[in-house]
Amino acid sequence: MRSQFSHQPFINVGRSPPFTWMFLLFLCFIAFIATLSLSPVKTLDSVDSSPLPNIYKNYRKLREQAASEVLEIRSLSLGITQPRELDICGKERENHVPCYNVSENLLAGFHSGGEFDRHCEVSGQGNRCLIRPPKEYKIPLRWPAGRDVIWNGNVKITKDQFLSSGSMTKRLMLLEENQIAFHSEDGTIIDGVKGYSRQVAEMLGLASDSELNQAGVRTVLDIGCGFGSFGAHLLSVNVTTICIAAYEMYGSQVQLALERGLPALIGNFISRQLPYPSLSFDMVHCAQCGIMWDAKEGAFLVEVDRLLKPGGYFVLTLPSTQQLSVGPKHSTIFEPLDEFAKGICWTLKAQRDESSVWQKTADADCYVFRRQGGMPPLCKTVDDLDAYYQPLRSCLSGFSGKRWAPIQNRSHVHNGYFSFQLSSDELAVHGKTFISGVHPDDFYEDFSFWVSSLNNYWSLLTPLIFSDHPKRPGDDDPLPPYNMLRNVMDMNAHYGGLNAAFLEAKKSVWVMNVVPVGVPNTLPLILDRGFAGVLHNWCESFPTYPRTYDMLHASGLLSHVLGTEGCDLSDLFLEMDRILRPEGWVVLCDKVQVIEKARVLAILNRWDARVIELQNDSDQRLLVCQKPFLKK
C-alpha cells in the first residue's frame, strides 16, 4: 500500500487511555478505506519502462488527510509527542555567522592573525532559535537581472557605509534608495572587469577570455573577490569561479557575491589550509586582496602551489601604488616574489601594468631536482586528499600522485562547458581509478539517475503540494518552480551528478557540491569536472552568511549525520534554516525512519513539509519542504 504523507498538527494524546486507543483505531479504519478507494497517479515525467525511481504526484485532499493520519499514528507509536516550534531570534542575530568570533578566539589563545580564522571548537552553542530576515528583506530578483542588481536591505551594508567607502563606490552604483547595481545601463561594468578579464587572457597568450576553456582554465579560486564582478563575468564564458574572502562585520564581499547568486565562501588561510585537496584549481586569482604574499616565509604562496593544478596560473594584481611593472629589478615587492616563485617551480609568464601572471610547472620532476638554497623543502607525507582546515605547511606537496595531469592536455567541450561527463581515460589513470571506488560504469549510471530524479524534483517545487501555502498579495497563480533557483547546495554531492543533471537540463543555476568529511572523498572528481565544491564537516556550521542558498538537497546525508559521533540532527536542521533564504526549498532523500524524524524537525523549523513515497517500493522517501517568509 503506497501513500503520500503531509504535515498536519499532531494529535493531542492527553485524554484517558481507553478513549485514545479507540480513537486511534477509528482513524486507522478511515485511513485504510480512503487508501483503498484511491489509486496512485504518476507524475507527467514518469516513464513505466524506466528502471529508475519515479515519484508519485497525487495530492487530493482526502488521500492526503488519510496518509497524514497514518503517519501521526506511527509517530505516536514511536513515542513522539507534540513538538513545539522554535522561537525566532532577536534582531541582533539577523546576520549571525557561527565559528567566526574574534573576541572568543582571542580568549581561547589564538593570535597573530589566527583569531580571524574559523574556530568552531570555541564557539558556544547559543540560543536555539530561527534567524529571521532583516525588516527590509526582499526576495532576490530573478536572473540574469539578479546578478547585477540586489536589494541593499538584504545585505549588511547601510547607505552611509556605502557612501563613505571609496573602494566600494568605485565598483558599485546606488541606483535607487533600496537597490545596489553592479553595472551601468549600457552594460559596461563600472570596475572595468571585462577589459581586465581580456587583459588576463592576453597575458596567457589568448586572443580573448572566451578561449580560457581551450587553454584548460575551467575553475578559478578568486581570493578577496571584491563583490564578485570578476567571477560573474567569467561565468558568462563558462568558467566556474569560487570567491573566498575573510569574514567581515559590514560590507562583506562573500555576502554580496552570494546575494548576487554567485559562488562564494567565507575563508582565508592566515593560519590554516583551505578545505580543498591538492591540485584543485586551474587558476588562483588575487586582485588587491590584501594578502602579504612574502610573509610567513612564503607559506601563502606554498598554499597556492598546493591548490594549483599542473600548468595552472597564479594571477596577482596589486594596487596602483604598489605596481610591479616599475621595473622588476628595482621593485622591492616583485623581486622577492619572483625569486620565491622560481624556487617552487613557477615561471613568470607575463607582466602588464599592476598585474603579473606566473605559471606552475607541469613537470613534477622539477620539485625533486630544483635548486634547494633557501627554498621550501618537500613534504615527507604528500597525501593530503582529505585536507580539512589543517595548519599551513611550509613544505611542498601534491606533486607525486596519479592526479598530476597538466591542464593544457584537456581538449573536449560539452554543451559549452568542459565535458562534465569525463572520459574513461580521465576516470582511470594508468589502468587504475584515480578516486578510490569510482568506475566509469558507476559514474555514468549515477549521471543517468540524477537526470531522471531532477525531472521529478522540478515537478515538486510548487506550493500546490502544500495545500495551506499562502500566496503573497498580488501574485499570480504560481508555476513550478514557485520562485527562481539561482543556486543549489548539494549537501552530499557524491560524484556531482545532480550538478551535471542541471547542466544537461540547461537550468540556469549553479551548485555548491559539498563532500562531507567522513565519507569517500570524491571532491577531486567533482573539481575535475569543472564544478564548484568544498569539503565540510556537517557537525559544524557552513562557512557562509544567512539566507544565501535558494535550495538545499541531500541524499543519504541524514543517515550519515545520525551515525557520526557528536553530531546532532536538530543542529543540522537549524543550520539549514540559517543558510536557506525565505521561500527557499529543501529536498531530502533517505530511509523512511530517518525521514520521519526529519519531518518532525522540519515542523520545529516552521517549514511546510511533505513526505513523498518513491515508486520502486524501496525503503527510501523524499522530504520536500519550503521555508516560509517569517516576518516576526
Side-chain angles (χ1 to χ4, degrees):
M1 179 170 61
R2 300 186 177 95
S3 63
Q4 293 168 325
F5 305 136
S6 64
H7 165 196
Q8 301 291 341
F10 272 62
I11 299 171
N12 190 336
V13 294
R15 52 173 63 90
S16 61
F19 182 82
T20 300
W21 287 112
M22 290 177 64
F23 182 66
L24 293 178
L25 288 173
F26 174 74
L27 289 180
C28 288
F29 177 75
I30 294 298
F32 178 73
I33 296 300
T35 306
L36 287 179
S37 65
L38 294 170
S39 58
V41 180
K42 297 181 181 179
T43 65
L44 295 176
D45 295 321
S46 299
V47 180
D48 289 337
S49 60
S50 172
L52 302 173
N54 290 288
I55 303 169
Y56 284 115
K57 197 179 100 175
N58 183 342
Y59 296 100
R60 292 163 58 180
K61 274 281 188 180
L62 184 57
R63 179 180 175 83
E64 187 178 87
Q65 178 71 24
S68 175
E69 290 167 349
V70 171
L71 183 60
E72 304 303 340
I73 293 169
R74 184 179 299 176
S75 298
L76 288 170
S77 69
L78 294 175
I80 301 175
T81 58
Q82 182 175 355
R84 180 177 178 273
E85 290 180 339
L86 292 171
D87 294 330
I88 307 299
C89 302
K91 181 179 175 60
E92 72 282 355
R93 289 172 66 91
E94 286 178 355
N95 294 291
H96 176 60
V97 180
C99 303
Y100 292 93
N101 188 315
V102 175
S103 58
E104 285 186 359
N105 294 342
L106 286 170
L107 290 174
F110 295 102
H111 52 82
S112 300
E115 66 272 22
F116 299 103
D117 266 338
R118 169 184 171 88
H119 296 289
C120 297
E121 67 276 12
V122 301
S123 296
Q125 179 65 39
N127 296 330
R128 296 185 59 81
C129 55
L130 302 175
I131 293 178
R132 62 180 169 186
K135 182 179 179 180
E136 302 82 11
Y137 185 86
K138 296 182 179 182
I139 299 299
L141 300 173
R142 293 176 181 269
W143 273 10
R147 275 199 293 261
D148 301 322
V149 180
I150 65 174
W151 305 108
N152 61 5
N154 289 10
V155 295
K156 293 192 305 180
I157 178 172
T158 66
K159 181 179 178 181
D160 291 339
Q161 292 164 345
F162 173 82
L163 294 175
S164 64
S165 175
S167 61
M168 286 186 184
T169 51
K170 291 176 184 176
R171 293 184 262 190
L172 301 178
M173 179 176 64
L174 201 62
L175 277 184
E176 298 177 357
E177 196 66 25
N178 60 351
Q179 287 183 333
I180 299 174
F182 297 82
H183 71 104
S184 61
E185 293 181 359
D186 63 359
T188 304
I189 303 222
I190 285 181
D191 58 357
V193 70
K194 288 185 178 180
Y196 175 73
S197 178
R198 183 175 61 252
Q199 174 179 303
V200 170
E202 291 172 352
M203 294 172 74
L204 300 185
L206 306 174
S208 70
D209 50 15
S210 62
E211 297 181 0
L212 285 171
N213 271 184
Q214 299 175 28
V217 178
R218 302 167 302 161
T219 55
V220 175
L221 183 67
D222 193 6
I223 301 173
C225 57
F227 305 123
S229 293
F230 185 58
H233 175 68
L234 290 184
L235 191 65
S236 68
V237 292
N238 299 328
V239 175
T240 301
T241 304
I242 300 178
C243 158
I244 67 158
Y247 170 75
E248 300 167 89
M249 288 294 295
Y250 298 101
S252 165
Q253 302 172 68
V254 170
Q255 188 185 35
L256 286 165
L258 281 163
E259 187 62 28
R260 299 177 67 180
L262 302 170
L265 288 167
I266 301 174
N268 52 28
F269 44 94
I270 295 173
S271 62
R272 299 186 180 189
Q273 294 177 347
L274 294 176
Y276 292 99
S278 295
L279 314 181
S280 290
F281 296 96
D282 306 319
M283 178 184 288
V284 174
H285 173 261
C286 160
Q288 305 178 21
C289 63
I291 293 178
M292 302 300 293
W293 291 103
D294 56 346
K296 293 195 175 184
E297 299 180 343
F300 301 146
L301 288 172
V302 169
E303 173 66 356
V304 172
D305 182 81
R306 185 184 73 85
L307 295 172
L308 274 177
K309 291 178 177 293
Y313 303 98
F314 175 57
V315 180
L316 176 63
T317 299
L318 295 180
S320 56
T321 55
Q322 296 179 320
Q323 54 184 319
L324 301 179
S325 58
V326 194
K329 293 183 179 179
H330 303 287
S331 172
T332 57
I333 298 175
F334 174 82
E335 194 171 76
L337 285 180
D338 191 48
E339 185 68 18
F340 192 90
K342 291 176 182 177
I344 59 174
C345 297
W346 292 4
T347 302
L348 181 64
K349 189 169 182 67
Q351 195 175 23
R352 184 185 300 181
D353 300 328
E354 297 88 12
S355 300
S356 296
V357 176
W358 284 271
Q359 184 174 20
K360 178 177 176 175
T361 184
D363 180 12
D365 291 338
C366 176
Y367 290 97
V368 179
F369 298 107
R370 67 198 169 94
R371 173 171 56 86
Q372 294 293 323
M375 291 297 112
L378 305 181
C379 295
K380 295 181 179 179
T381 57
V382 295
D383 185 12
D384 63 348
L385 188 65
D386 296 309
Y388 183 70
Y389 294 112
Q390 296 298 312
L392 276 178
R393 307 169 80 176
S394 57
C395 57
L396 299 169
S397 64
F399 54 87
S400 61
K402 46 194 173 183
R403 293 185 58 241
W404 185 275
I407 64 173
Q408 289 76 15
N409 290 354
R410 301 166 180 160
S411 57
H412 54 290
V413 174
H414 182 81
N415 284 354
Y417 288 80
F418 183 84
S419 175
F420 52 78
Q421 296 281 24
L422 292 183
S423 67
S424 297
D425 290 340
E426 289 170 308
L427 280 170
V429 180
H430 304 304
K432 297 180 180 179
T433 54
F434 71 90
I435 302 296
S436 176
V438 178
H439 187 276
D441 291 344
D442 297 334
F443 183 77
Y444 297 124
E445 182 180 347
D446 178 78
F447 171 69
S448 299
F449 171 85
W450 286 113
V451 168
S452 174
S453 296
L454 180 62
N455 288 333
N456 288 310
Y457 288 174
W458 209 252
S459 67
L460 291 172
L461 300 189
T462 164
L464 297 180
I465 73 170
F466 302 118
S467 57
D468 57 348
H469 191 286
K471 188 175 70 170
R472 295 203 305 273
D475 283 354
D476 296 328
D477 289 337
L479 295 175
Y482 179 50
N483 288 312
M484 80 297 182
L485 295 181
R486 305 160 305 161
N487 56 8
V488 174
M489 178 186 287
D490 194 351
M491 302 171 68
N492 188 16
H494 203 42
Y495 302 154
L498 181 63
N499 195 155
F502 272 111
L503 288 177
E504 182 74 13
K506 297 183 179 179
K507 304 292 185 184
S508 58
V509 304
W510 63 268
V511 179
M512 178 61 74
N513 296 279
V514 182
V515 176
V517 173
V519 305
N521 188 359
T522 54
L523 182 59
L525 184 150
I526 290 169
L527 295 171
D528 287 347
R529 299 179 82 174
F531 300 161
V534 68
L535 282 174
H536 182 64
N537 181 354
W538 281 116
C539 297
E540 303 172 350
S541 296
F542 193 80
T544 192
Y545 291 85
R547 303 171 297 278
T548 47
Y549 283 89
D550 300 330
M551 175 176 164
L552 305 178
H553 171 266
S555 178
L557 176 68
L558 304 184
S559 291
H560 167 71
V561 170
L562 284 172
T564 303
E565 185 178 354
C567 272
D568 190 321
L569 205 58
S570 61
D571 290 339
L572 176 64
F573 270 69
L574 262 181
E575 176 63 3
M576 291 166 66
D577 185 83
R578 185 184 74 87
I579 64 181
L580 186 66
R581 71 164 175 83
E583 299 186 358
W585 295 96
V586 177
V587 179
L588 303 173
C589 181
D590 220 300
K591 298 176 182 178
V592 60
Q593 298 88 346
V594 179
I595 288 296
E596 288 180 11
K597 294 179 181 178
R599 179 178 169 276
V600 174
L601 295 174
I603 295 171
L604 293 176
N605 279 8
R606 307 189 183 198
W607 297 349
D608 295 318
R610 291 291 182 267
V611 177
I612 312 297
E613 185 172 306
L614 303 179
Q615 184 185 4
N616 62 354
D617 293 321
S618 71
D619 65 344
Q620 301 286 307
R621 297 289 186 274
L622 279 182
L623 178 64
V624 181
C625 309
Q626 188 174 33
K627 175 181 175 179
F629 198 148
L630 297 177
K631 284 292 189 179
K632 295 181 180 180

